[in-house]
């Protein structure tokens, strides 16, 4: 198909801007990569502030392209959405993450849960709940071992399948986390309507809270909301000890960020976990 993709370019005039060409090339390469297994999941640990123990891991997709090198998800996820590959990518990530958790358990490595990122389009698929149920059974996992991270775009999605799929998945016992909380549109109304059990405080709050009193106050407000709704608040992008201490002081539940580790391959994570101790 690489030859085919190259052929396709001849249909476009020289005036077609290089950005569009690059995009088209990426789209073709993305399709090949999904079929050819060139994607990987990297895992980033999440640490419980109260116990100092591992809360779980977030699975993040990685794509290494022969010529382009590492392509960031910020670049390939939107393309996958637009060219109809996001459904496949989402299912691949779910399967890979469930397999990995199963494999860790089988080898006595204690990972409490795995979180997978899904796009709003993934919830248009009415068979998603069944697909997930199949994976849980196949890999001998409890529904609560899996968390689906969704963003506010999922919450705002007016497609009728979306709410239905979310409710079904939740009814199975799979957990939902609201990603990037505090950015975009106000999500308080969505919290009322959707069965979320985790709030992920967006990393922009964590980044700016120690130099901006307003951001610090907002961070605190999010943590208080989580507390009163009995939700687990996960702070994203925790890079240093000072941020960690500030969040801990405020009663945040879980920290995730470079302070502990960047997302890493399963094997490297296992090594990390062996040496992990929090002081
Ligand atoms: P996200 O879900 O908010 O993921 C957190 C991002 O922050 C990740 O970027 C992670 O590597 C990065 N990060 C973690 N700790 C730190 C830190 O301490 N400092 C800073 N500066 N960054 C940190 P990544 O892996 O590049 O992913 C970007 C976004 O792409 C994700 O944001 C998510 O929205 C999307 N994404 C990644 N994998 C998938 C996937 O499998 N499916 C879907 N639908 N989206 C994905
Ligand atoms: Ca996420
Ligand atoms: Ca996030
Ligand atoms: Ca709490």
């Amino acid at each position: 198909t690489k030859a085919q993709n190259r052929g396709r370019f001849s249909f476009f005039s020289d005036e077609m801007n290089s950005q569009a060409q690059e995009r088209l090339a990426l789209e073709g390469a993305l399709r090949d990569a999904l079929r050819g297994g060139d994607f990987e999941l990297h895992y980033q640990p999440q640490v419980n502030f109260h116990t100092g123990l591992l809360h779980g891991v977030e699975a993040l997709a990685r794509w290494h392209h022969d010529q382009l090198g590492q392509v960031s998800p910020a670049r390939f996820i939107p393309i996958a959405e637009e060219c109809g590959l996001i459904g496949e990518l989402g299912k691949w990530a779910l399967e890979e993450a469930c397999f990995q958790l199963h494999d860790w358990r089988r080898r006595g490595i204690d990972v409490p849960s795995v979180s997978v990122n899904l796009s709003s389009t993934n919830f248009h698929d009415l068979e998603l709940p069944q697909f997930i149920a199949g994976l849980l059974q196949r890999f001998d996992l409890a529904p609560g071992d899996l968390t689906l991270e969704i963003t506010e775009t999922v919450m705002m999605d007016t497609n009728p399948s979306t709410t239905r799929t979310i409710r079904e998945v939740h009814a199975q016992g799979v957990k939902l986390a609201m990603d990037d909380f505090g950015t975009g549109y106000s999500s308080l109304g969505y919290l009322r309507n959707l069965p979320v059990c985790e709030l992920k405080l967006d990393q922009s709050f964590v980044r700016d809270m120690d130099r901006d009193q307003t951001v610090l106050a907002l961070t605190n407000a999010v943590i208080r909301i989580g507390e009163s709704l009995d939700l687990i608040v996960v702070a994203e992008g925790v890079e240093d000890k000072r941020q960690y201490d500030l969040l801990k002081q405020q009663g945040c539940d879980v920290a995730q960020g470079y302070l502990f580790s960047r997302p890493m391959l399963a094997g490297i994570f296992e090594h990390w976990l062996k040496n992990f101790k929090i002081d």
Side-chain angles (χ1 to χ4, degrees), residues 46 58-60 115-118 149-151 178-180 200 236 256:
Q46 304 172 315
E58 177 178 2
L60 293 150
S115 298
V116 175
N117 292 282
L118 290 182
E149 296 199 1
I150 57 185
T151 57
M178 198 194 270
D179 211 347
D180 307 336
K200 298 198 74 177
E236 298 188 302
Q256 176 181 352

Side-chain angles (χ1 to χ4, degrees), residues 201-245:
L201 176 72
D202 190 69
Q203 54 191 50
S204 58
F205 289 87
V206 177
R207 188 188 59 220
D208 298 333
M209 71 184 173
D210 59 354
R211 51 189 138 109
D212 186 330
Q213 283 300 311
T214 306
V215 176
L216 185 64
L218 288 171
T219 301
N220 195 263
V222 171
I223 295 169
R224 300 285 77 83
I225 288 170
E227 197 171 63
S228 45
L229 295 177
D230 210 14
L231 305 172
I232 296 166
V233 179
V234 180
E236 298 188 302
V238 181
E239 294 184 353
D240 57 49
K241 193 69 169 66
R242 188 172 149 67
Q243 292 166 335
Y244 180 86
D245 289 338

Side-chain angles (χ1 to χ4, degrees), residues 6 8 16 42 64 76 86-87 108 167 180 200 233 238:
R6 217 168 316 164
R8 263 156 65 192
M16 185 179 179
H42 283 207
H64 186 86
F76 69 75
I86 197 74
R167 288 192 187 289
D180 307 336
K200 298 198 74 177
V233 179
V238 181

Side-chain angles (χ1 to χ4, degrees), residues 3-274:
Q4 263 169 12
N5 289 335
R6 217 168 316 164
R8 263 156 65 192
F9 291 136
S10 58
F11 289 98
F12 297 95
S13 71
D14 294 341
E15 281 149 44
M16 185 179 179
N17 65 57
S18 60
Q19 236 177 344
Q21 283 202 25
E22 188 194 87
R23 202 190 154 81
L24 198 67
L26 272 179
E27 186 182 316
L30 196 63
R31 217 173 280 277
D32 292 345
L34 253 178
R35 313 264 139 97
D38 293 343
F39 279 91
E40 272 170 349
L41 285 183
H42 283 207
Y43 299 89
Q44 189 175 36
Q46 304 172 315
V47 177
N48 187 310
F49 276 109
H50 314 296
T51 63
L53 300 173
L54 187 72
H55 168 74
V57 293
E58 177 178 2
L60 293 150
R62 293 289 178 266
W63 176 25
H64 186 86
H65 184 273
D66 285 347
Q67 276 100 52
L68 299 168
Q70 203 73 24
V71 186
S72 96
R75 239 171 121 205
F76 69 75
I77 297 290
I79 298 175
E81 303 229 18
E82 279 168 45
C83 68
L85 285 170
I86 197 74
E88 223 178 302
L89 187 72
K91 283 180 167 178
W92 167 80
L94 282 166
E95 179 172 353
E96 182 67 22
C98 287
F99 162 78
Q100 190 56 68
L101 189 57
H102 166 82
D103 190 56
W104 280 326
R105 300 251 170 106
R106 188 180 59 78
R107 292 187 289 129
I109 298 164
D110 186 21
V111 178
S113 76
V114 66
S115 298
V116 175
N117 292 282
L118 290 182
S119 301
S120 62
T121 322
N122 293 123
F123 292 92
H124 296 176
D125 178 3
L126 287 170
E127 280 162 21
L128 186 74
Q130 217 186 329
F131 177 78
I132 290 175
L135 288 178
L136 296 175
Q137 193 176 32
R138 185 169 139 213
F139 293 116
D140 199 21
L141 299 173
D145 293 341
L146 180 65
T147 301
L148 306 181
E149 296 199 1
I150 57 185
T151 57
E152 283 155 300
T153 41
V154 177
M155 308 296 186
M156 294 188 306
D157 193 339
T158 50
N159 188 312
S161 328
T162 302
T163 345
R164 195 176 134 186
T165 312
I166 289 180
R167 288 192 187 289
E168 271 183 47
V169 165
H170 174 253
Q172 290 174 351
V174 173
K175 292 181 184 150
L176 294 170
M178 198 194 270
D179 211 347
D180 307 336
F181 189 76
T183 62
Y185 297 84
S186 165
S187 24
L188 296 183
Y190 301 113
L191 288 183
R192 181 176 143 180
N193 296 325
L194 282 161
V196 172
C197 79
E198 222 173 81
L199 285 186
K200 298 198 74 177
L201 176 72
D202 190 69
Q203 54 191 50
S204 58
F205 289 87
V206 177
R207 188 188 59 220
D208 298 333
M209 71 184 173
D210 59 354
R211 51 189 138 109
D212 186 330
Q213 283 300 311
T214 306
V215 176
L216 185 64
L218 288 171
T219 301
N220 195 263
V222 171
I223 295 169
R224 300 285 77 83
I225 288 170
E227 197 171 63
S228 45
L229 295 177
D230 210 14
L231 305 172
I232 296 166
V233 179
V234 180
E236 298 188 302
V238 181
E239 294 184 353
D240 57 49
K241 193 69 169 66
R242 188 172 149 67
Q243 292 166 335
Y244 180 86
D245 289 338
L246 264 173
L247 289 160
K248 187 177 170 146
Q249 226 170 55
Q250 297 182 84
C252 190
D253 300 304
V254 176
Q256 176 181 352
Y258 297 165
L259 173 65
F260 298 111
S261 172
R262 289 180 178 258
M264 52 204 146
L265 276 170
I268 299 172
F269 165 74
E270 289 163 22
H271 200 74
W272 176 90
L273 189 59
K274 255 189 235 156

